[in-house]
Amino acid sequence: MSESEGNSAYGKQQFKRSKSHFTDRVTADGRDGWPVAEGRYRLVVSRACPWASRALVSRRLLGLEEAVSLAVADPIQDDRSWRFTLDPNGRDPVLGIRFLSEAYEARERAHPGGVSVPALVDVPSGKLVTNDYQQITLDFATEWTALHRDGAPDLYPAPLRDEIDQVMAEVYEDVNNGVYRTGFATDQGEYEKACEGVFRRLDLLSERLATRRYLVGDSITEADIRLFTTLVRFDAVYHGHFKCNLRKLTENAVLWAYVRDLYQTPGFGDTVDFDHIKRHYYQVHTGINPTGIVPLGPDLSGWSVPHHREELGGRPFGEGTPPGPVPEHEEVPAPGRP
């Protein structure tokens, strides 16, 4: 999710998602100059951002909390980008910076594009390594295996990668990015096309998930992570703020049960902060919500209701085991709890 420089323009100019400018990879062999190493990199996220939330879930499921430290930005940006005002003295305690843009500038001054999360920053140099939100989690699953916890699931199993890639491409185009094209549409026709595309894909996903617990195979994969981070925000922000209001997610029995199943699985719901999500979208996107008023709803108590998806079979972690408790300093409030 890019920095706030374009927030006042949303809804006034056609939305186009920028590609990641920094696409270096952190790999086991260090071929891009960035080898996997415990404690070397810091993951910068906003809990408001669905793209960053993928990395939060992946890091939890794989047990990389000790290997990759975490910096959480304030959900409310200013014109200098994501800021560390949640930390004492307004500085990230590890990187020593006030704004994520400082790590970007340390890597490349006057770089093109905005300042986005997730971002991996090299702690020794303070330089950004990558903001490639599409690749970071895939590398967590495949390149960081030496640092995975015992019992870590295989989130990108080789025999299923072609199918996972196909499903993720469809979800990205019509759902992950589709809600943004809907919310930032500049005219009626553009809006209707995007909104109809979102719900057409949701209907297809509902059909797919009616008889299977997970999107691909019998356990959680990267595809489920990428769909979850949009669905968990759907009724809270996309239905109202982005006008994706043909139906609420809670009105789709299959998808509502599916996303509750994931939310109640260790590694998913324990990374979600609905307060950050709502305040970011409603207060930062001034182009489409100029008052900055944050709605009181929706009621979040339903997230803990039994889903009964286990009746479809499947094992959440495959041959693996659930992740351990959330580190105390990374805990987030449960829905409905201040």
Side-chain angles (χ1 to χ4, degrees):
M1 186 175 286
S2 65
E3 64 179 316
S4 58
E5 61 181 1
N7 292 320
S8 61
Y10 288 148
K12 300 180 178 65
Q13 62 187 33
Q14 190 173 41
F15 174 75
K16 184 179 181 181
R17 184 165 301 283
S18 300
K19 293 183 178 180
S20 299
H21 176 65
F22 299 98
T23 57
D24 285 4
R25 295 174 59 190
V26 178
T27 57
D29 63 6
R31 55 186 176 273
D32 285 354
W34 308 104
V36 168
E38 184 168 2
R40 176 169 176 177
Y41 306 99
R42 189 155 175 82
L43 176 65
V44 182
V45 303
S46 164
R47 294 192 187 276
C49 172
W51 317 96
S53 291
R54 298 175 178 182
L56 278 171
V57 174
S58 177
R59 174 177 172 270
R60 274 279 292 139
L61 293 177
L62 298 172
L64 291 172
E65 291 102 324
E66 295 300 321
V68 185
S69 65
L70 181 67
V72 178
D74 193 314
I76 309 303
Q77 303 156 287
D78 66 18
D79 58 6
R80 291 166 292 184
S81 87
W82 297 102
R83 54 189 184 169
F84 298 107
T85 46
L86 301 180
D87 295 302
N89 302 315
R91 289 187 182 274
D92 178 81
V94 173
L95 299 173
I97 57 178
R98 292 185 180 275
F99 301 94
L100 179 56
S101 57
E102 296 174 55
Y104 276 68
E105 290 295 315
R107 171 69 186 274
E108 181 182 329
R109 294 193 62 81
H111 61 89
V115 176
S116 64
V117 289
L120 273 179
V121 178
D122 178 50
V123 174
S125 67
K127 294 180 179 180
L128 176 78
V129 175
T130 178
N131 66 344
D132 190 346
Y133 61 93
Q134 299 281 45
Q135 191 63 46
I136 287 173
T137 50
L138 295 179
D139 284 342
F140 275 174
T142 60
E143 297 289 337
W144 289 73
T145 54
L147 297 178
H148 286 182
R149 64 178 176 87
D150 291 339
D154 187 350
L155 299 176
Y156 196 47
L160 299 177
R161 286 181 188 176
D162 287 346
E163 186 178 1
I164 292 171
D165 289 346
Q166 179 63 37
V167 171
M168 291 194 304
E170 295 167 350
V171 167
Y172 171 83
E173 180 64 25
D174 296 332
V175 181
N176 300 147
N177 211 36
V179 294
Y180 282 85
R181 290 200 309 274
T182 303
F184 298 145
T186 57
D187 61 53
Q188 189 69 30
E190 180 187 347
Y191 160 75
E192 291 184 7
K193 181 180 180 181
C195 188
E196 289 168 355
V198 169
F199 284 92
R200 184 165 50 248
R201 181 60 57 188
L202 290 179
D203 287 343
L204 290 171
L205 290 166
S206 182
E207 291 177 14
R208 182 183 185 94
L209 289 164
T211 57
R212 55 196 302 169
R213 191 172 179 184
Y214 303 110
L215 284 171
V216 183
D218 295 325
S219 60
I220 292 164
T221 68
E222 175 79 12
D224 296 293
I225 296 173
R226 295 190 182 195
L227 179 57
F228 171 81
T229 57
T230 294
L231 294 187
V232 78
R233 289 162 172 76
F234 203 88
D235 286 4
V237 290
Y238 300 145
H239 179 270
H241 183 58
F242 277 0
K243 306 180 185 71
C244 296
N245 62 358
L246 287 178
R247 291 176 296 280
K248 292 180 179 178
L249 189 68
T250 54
E251 295 169 351
N252 184 312
V254 171
L255 293 182
W256 177 223
Y258 166 77
V259 74
R260 291 203 319 278
D261 184 6
L262 292 177
Y263 183 88
Q264 294 171 27
T265 299
F268 284 85
D270 51 29
T271 70
V272 176
D273 191 320
F274 283 106
D275 174 64
H276 280 209
I277 290 168
K278 289 172 59 176
R279 287 196 292 122
H280 172 79
Y281 280 89
Y282 283 102
Q283 292 186 324
V284 172
H285 296 161
T286 55
I288 56 177
N289 187 40
T291 65
I293 292 173
V294 181
L296 294 176
D299 179 7
L300 300 175
S301 61
W303 286 98
S304 60
V305 172
H307 50 76
H308 304 297
R309 294 280 295 177
E310 65 277 0
E311 296 172 7
L312 294 173
R315 296 171 297 169
F317 307 101
E319 299 294 332
T321 58
V326 179
E328 185 175 351
H329 63 282
E330 293 185 14
E331 290 181 350
V332 295
R337 194 177 80 208

